[in-house]
Amino acid sequence: MPGNKPNKPLGREPRDRSPIPRLRWWIGGLLFASTVINYIDRQTLSVLAPFLKADYHWTNSDFALLIISFRVAYAVMQPVAGRLLDWLGTRRGLLLSVTWYSIAAAMTATAQGLRSFMVFRFLLGTGEAANWPGATKAVAEWFPKTERGWAVALFDSGSAIGAAVAPVLAVGLYHAFGSWRPVFVVTGMLGFSWMLVWRRFYHPPETHPRLGAEERKYILSGRADAGESGPAAPQSWLGLLGMRQTWGIILGRALTDPVWYFVADWFAIYLVSKGFRLENALAGFWIPFLAADLGNFSGGGFSSYLIRRGWPVVRARKFVVVVCGAGMACLIPAAFLNNFALLIGLFAISTFSYAAWSTMALTLPSDLYPSSQVATVSGMSGAGSGLGTILSTYLIGWAADHYSFQPVLVAASAVPLAATLIVCLLVPTGGPETKPNAKSN
């Protein structure tokens, strides 16, 4: 089947040279860098939003349309991108994705108004949709289950780092050039440098010329221990949707990811609505994103620790989900405060909890499905995330214009509790239900 064939190199095969120690973590570093660039490209608009709103006289509802344009493409393309990645392979799939969205990000500099911005945001979302399915698939290829929590935390932490870097980079470039247009060009060019390294460096572990024999044996034996060594026939979308664990992953992300995207897309506007100047707020703006970065590694690391202590894999993931679902409720008191330090602290606790929760949700497809289905399931969950975020974005813009951000923050605290309950009920902790490929072999 196409999804079971190893990726063939593009261009000339690299010369056989000495092995690179712990190569799998260098691969994880490339996935992290891709996610950082992905988030810088998407966050540039959100950071520049206060300036663009003033220039074009946009309302919050107008700005919501820009976010929705991105989210529609992102939601529609996630399952499509996942299927393409399972067919094309990780190397070609991510190379195509980064090429597409880097061009779209740079071309945003030519936008002339709301409609043209919407077009470029739609194109950006089309390309960026492949990042998480592709990175999750790469983790399934390169890491045994005992390390996947750490590996997912590594690449997913790039979203927090990218979101933290974007304000400093975008605002700095905006003041340096005196215009927002060059900012999109500079940030859009970042992906092209990544592509040069990825094209040269990435191959699957079975054929990578720089992978040592011991590490190759460790990776492949880890798959065998997890029951993933044999080829598994790809399931249809309907077949995968017939499994309750698939719905647990989809609905879990659909209800929790809007919390993160509220912070990522609206945080600058929210702080300005509270009376803080964006330039002055930069001192604390990055803290919730740094907290999210710590949450990625804490969730991934703690679940891996529990697995090494003998916990079943899915039970360890769900323990983190339960604890961190409660942590996201910290936005409720934030809705009624005006103290900058307290606001930043409560947002930081919430983003820390979200990131740990999200790391578990992103890891579950590689825990529950064979490699030939991981990107497809990840893409389907990304579609659920996108649909949930589209609806929440519209409601956020409407609520902010007609009332305030208070009801938004209360909802952003309550909804993840429902998501946690759904994951606990629909994702089985153990037994044959955790092997969806059993009927396919």
Side-chain angles (χ1 to χ4, degrees), residues 161-213:
I161 296 296
V165 170
V168 178
L169 180 62
V171 173
L173 289 171
Y174 174 81
H175 288 299
F177 288 105
S179 170
W180 56 265
R181 296 185 188 275
V183 181
F184 287 101
V185 175
V186 173
T187 56
M189 292 296 104
L190 296 174
F192 291 100
S193 59
W194 181 90
M195 285 186 283
L196 295 175
V197 180
W198 179 259
R199 185 178 185 274
R200 179 71 176 172
F201 194 71
Y202 188 88
H203 303 278
E206 292 87 348
T207 60
H208 202 296
R210 305 295 301 277
L211 181 63

Side-chain angles (χ1 to χ4, degrees), residues 293-315:
D293 200 37
L294 295 175
N296 285 129
F297 287 103
S298 297
F302 188 65
S303 67
S304 294
Y305 166 78
L306 292 176
I307 293 167
R308 289 195 301 273
R309 291 292 300 269
W311 283 49
V313 172
V314 179
R315 181 176 295 168

Side-chain angles (χ1 to χ4, degrees), residues 89-334:
T90 309
R91 186 168 184 258
R92 283 191 175 92
L94 282 179
L95 187 65
L96 176 63
S97 165
V98 178
T99 301
W100 180 287
Y101 76 67
S102 296
I103 294 172
M107 289 295 292
T108 306
T110 65
Q112 299 297 320
L114 184 64
R115 290 183 180 179
S116 53
F117 267 104
M118 290 172 63
V119 169
F120 288 121
R121 295 304 286 182
F122 184 90
L123 294 174
L124 184 71
T126 300
E128 290 203 350
N131 188 78
W132 269 259
T136 304
K137 182 176 177 65
V139 166
E141 292 173 349
W142 275 89
F143 294 87
K145 286 191 175 183
T146 53
E147 294 181 346
R148 285 179 189 170
W150 282 110
V152 170
L154 175 61
F155 86 72
D156 192 43
S157 69
S159 61
I161 296 296
V165 170
V168 178
L169 180 62
V171 173
L173 289 171
Y174 174 81
H175 288 299
F177 288 105
S179 170
W180 56 265
R181 296 185 188 275
V183 181
F184 287 101
V185 175
V186 173
T187 56
M189 292 296 104
L190 296 174
F192 291 100
S193 59
W194 181 90
M195 285 186 283
L196 295 175
V197 180
W198 179 259
R199 185 178 185 274
R200 179 71 176 172
F201 194 71
Y202 188 88
H203 303 278
E206 292 87 348
T207 60
H208 202 296
R210 305 295 301 277
L211 181 63
E214 288 189 11
E215 187 174 9
R216 194 189 315 272
K217 180 180 178 181
Y218 173 71
I219 293 169
L220 298 181
S221 65
R223 290 190 198 167
D225 292 341
E228 300 173 358
S229 56
Q235 292 248 15
S236 67
W237 280 331
L238 288 177
L240 291 169
L241 288 173
M243 302 168 188
R244 64 173 185 161
Q245 62 212 38
T246 304
W247 283 104
I249 296 170
I250 291 172
L251 293 174
R253 289 194 61 192
L255 295 175
T256 56
D257 281 7
V259 176
W260 170 253
Y261 291 121
F262 163 65
V263 180
D265 293 333
W266 294 91
F267 196 39
I269 293 174
Y270 172 73
L271 290 177
V272 171
S273 75
K274 285 285 189 177
F276 303 108
R277 282 179 53 83
L278 184 59
E279 290 83 354
N280 297 335
L282 286 177
F285 189 96
W286 56 272
I287 292 177
F289 299 103
L290 176 61
D293 200 37
L294 295 175
N296 285 129
F297 287 103
S298 297
F302 188 65
S303 67
S304 294
Y305 166 78
L306 292 176
I307 293 167
R308 289 195 301 273
R309 291 292 300 269
W311 283 49
V313 172
V314 179
R315 181 176 295 168
R317 311 293 191 211
K318 290 168 74 172
F319 180 80
V320 175
V321 163
V322 170
V323 173
C324 294
M328 280 185 267
C330 285
L331 289 182
I332 290 179

